[in-house]
Amino acid sequence: MVVRVFVASSSGFVAIKKKQQDVVRFLEANKIEFEEVDITMSEEQRQWMYKNIPPEKKPSQGNPLPPQIFNGDRYCGDYDSFFESKESNTVFSFLGLKPRPASTAEP
């Protein structure tokens, strides 16, 4: 299974762009394999994302905003959930991945 980050490349909201960049940069920096899915380029992917976010995680009005994070078909969460896991050092668990062993690099 691969981590998938649903983004909107043509979002006019600076806050959304910053959140998307934060997630992508963190994954790249930690060498976590992921796929970036642009929902502005594929109606099918946008509908899949909307359909697969659990009802209790959807906003009371409107559609969920990107970034939304999945591991395969399993919903991980939105940016706020990602940020909380980053702050508590539980990102691997949040993403449904096994933690990496501590580095054993010699000095």
Side-chain angles (χ1 to χ4, degrees), residues 4 6 43-53 70 72-74:
R4 295 191 298 161
F6 286 79
E43 180 63 25
E44 183 180 328
Q45 291 288 6
R46 179 184 8 249
Q47 292 304 321
W48 186 94
M49 181 191 84
Y50 292 156
K51 186 178 85 177
N52 287 283
I53 294 173
F70 289 81
D73 292 340
R74 184 182 75 79

Coordinates of all heavy atoms in Angstrom, one line a residue, residues 4 6 43-53 70 72-74:
R4 N -1.2 8.1 -0.1 CA -1.7 9.0 -1.1 C -2.1 10.3 -0.5 O -2.9 10.3 0.5 CB -2.8 8.4 -1.9 CG -2.3 7.2 -2.7 CD -3.3 6.6 -3.7 NE -4.6 6.2 -3.0 CZ -5.7 6.1 -3.6 NH1 -5.9 6.3 -4.9 NH2 -6.8 5.7 -3.0
F6 N -4.1 13.7 -1.3 CA -5.0 14.3 -2.2 C -4.8 15.8 -2.1 O -5.0 16.4 -1.0 CB -6.4 13.9 -2.0 CG -6.7 12.5 -2.5 CD1 -6.3 11.4 -1.7 CD2 -7.3 12.3 -3.7 CE1 -6.5 10.1 -2.1 CE2 -7.5 11.0 -4.1 CZ -7.1 9.9 -3.4
E43 N -11.9 14.4 -12.0 CA -13.2 14.3 -11.3 C -13.3 13.0 -10.6 O -13.9 12.9 -9.5 CB -14.3 14.6 -12.3 CG -15.7 14.6 -11.7 CD -15.9 15.6 -10.6 OE1 -15.2 16.7 -10.7 OE2 -16.7 15.4 -9.7
E44 N -12.8 11.9 -11.3 CA -13.0 10.6 -10.7 C -12.2 10.5 -9.4 O -12.7 9.9 -8.4 CB -12.4 9.5 -11.7 CG -12.5 8.1 -11.3 CD -11.9 7.2 -12.3 OE1 -12.0 7.4 -13.5 OE2 -11.4 6.1 -11.9
Q45 N -11.0 11.0 -9.3 CA -10.2 11.0 -8.1 C -10.9 11.9 -7.0 O -10.9 11.5 -5.8 CB -8.8 11.5 -8.3 CG -8.0 10.5 -9.1 CD -7.6 9.2 -8.4 OE1 -8.0 9.0 -7.2 NE2 -6.8 8.4 -9.0
R46 N -11.4 13.0 -7.4 CA -12.1 13.9 -6.4 C -13.3 13.2 -5.8 O -13.5 13.2 -4.6 CB -12.5 15.2 -7.1 CG -13.3 16.1 -6.2 CD -13.8 17.4 -6.8 NE -13.8 17.5 -8.2 CZ -13.0 18.4 -8.9 NH1 -12.2 19.2 -8.2 NH2 -13.1 18.5 -10.2
Q47 N -14.1 12.5 -6.6 CA -15.2 11.8 -6.1 C -14.8 10.6 -5.2 O -15.5 10.3 -4.2 CB -16.1 11.3 -7.3 CG -16.8 12.4 -8.0 CD -17.7 13.3 -7.1 OE1 -18.3 12.9 -6.2 NE2 -17.6 14.6 -7.4
W48 N -13.7 9.9 -5.6 CA -13.2 8.8 -4.8 C -12.8 9.3 -3.4 O -13.2 8.7 -2.4 CB -12.0 8.1 -5.5 CG -11.6 6.9 -4.7 CD1 -12.0 5.6 -5.0 CD2 -10.7 6.9 -3.6 NE1 -11.4 4.8 -4.1 CE2 -10.6 5.5 -3.2 CE3 -10.0 7.8 -2.9 CZ2 -9.8 5.1 -2.2 CZ3 -9.2 7.4 -1.8 CH2 -9.1 6.1 -1.5
M49 N -12.1 10.5 -3.4 CA -11.7 11.0 -2.1 C -12.9 11.4 -1.3 O -13.0 11.0 -0.1 CB -10.9 12.3 -2.3 CG -10.4 13.0 -1.1 SD -9.6 14.6 -1.3 CE -11.1 15.6 -1.3
Y50 N -13.9 12.1 -1.8 CA -15.1 12.5 -1.1 C -15.8 11.3 -0.5 O -16.3 11.2 0.6 CB -16.1 13.3 -1.9 CG -15.6 14.7 -2.4 CD1 -16.1 15.3 -3.5 CD2 -14.6 15.3 -1.6 CE1 -15.6 16.5 -3.9 CE2 -14.2 16.6 -2.0 CZ -14.7 17.2 -3.1 OH -14.3 18.4 -3.5
K51 N -15.9 10.2 -1.4 CA -16.7 9.0 -1.0 C -16.0 8.2 0.1 O -16.6 7.6 0.9 CB -16.9 8.1 -2.2 CG -17.8 6.9 -2.0 CD -17.9 6.2 -3.3 CE -16.7 5.2 -3.4 NZ -16.7 4.3 -4.5
N52 N -14.7 8.3 0.2 CA -13.9 7.4 1.1 C -13.5 8.1 2.4 O -12.8 7.5 3.2 CB -12.7 6.8 0.4 CG -13.2 5.8 -0.6 OD1 -13.5 4.6 -0.2 ND2 -13.2 6.1 -1.9
I53 N -13.9 9.3 2.6 CA -13.7 10.0 3.9 C -14.9 9.6 4.8 O -16.0 9.8 4.4 CB -13.6 11.5 3.7 CG1 -12.3 11.9 2.9 CG2 -13.5 12.2 5.1 CD1 -12.2 13.3 2.6
F70 N -4.5 9.3 2.7 CA -4.9 7.9 2.7 C -3.7 7.0 2.6 O -2.6 7.4 2.1 CB -5.8 7.6 1.5 CG -7.1 8.2 1.5 CD1 -7.3 9.5 1.1 CD2 -8.3 7.4 1.9 CE1 -8.6 10.1 1.1 CE2 -9.5 8.0 1.9 CZ -9.7 9.3 1.5
G72 N -3.3 3.5 0.9 CA -4.2 2.6 0.1 C -5.6 3.2 0.1 O -5.8 4.3 -0.2
D73 N -6.5 2.3 0.5 CA -7.9 2.7 0.6 C -8.3 3.2 2.0 O -9.4 3.6 2.3 CB -8.9 1.6 0.2 CG -8.8 1.3 -1.3 OD1 -8.3 2.1 -2.0 OD2 -9.2 0.2 -1.7
R74 N -7.3 3.1 3.0 CA -7.6 3.5 4.4 C -7.4 5.0 4.6 O -6.4 5.5 4.3 CB -6.7 2.7 5.3 CG -7.0 2.9 6.8 CD -6.0 2.2 7.7 NE -4.7 2.8 7.8 CZ -4.4 3.9 8.5 NH1 -5.3 4.5 9.2 NH2 -3.2 4.3 8.5

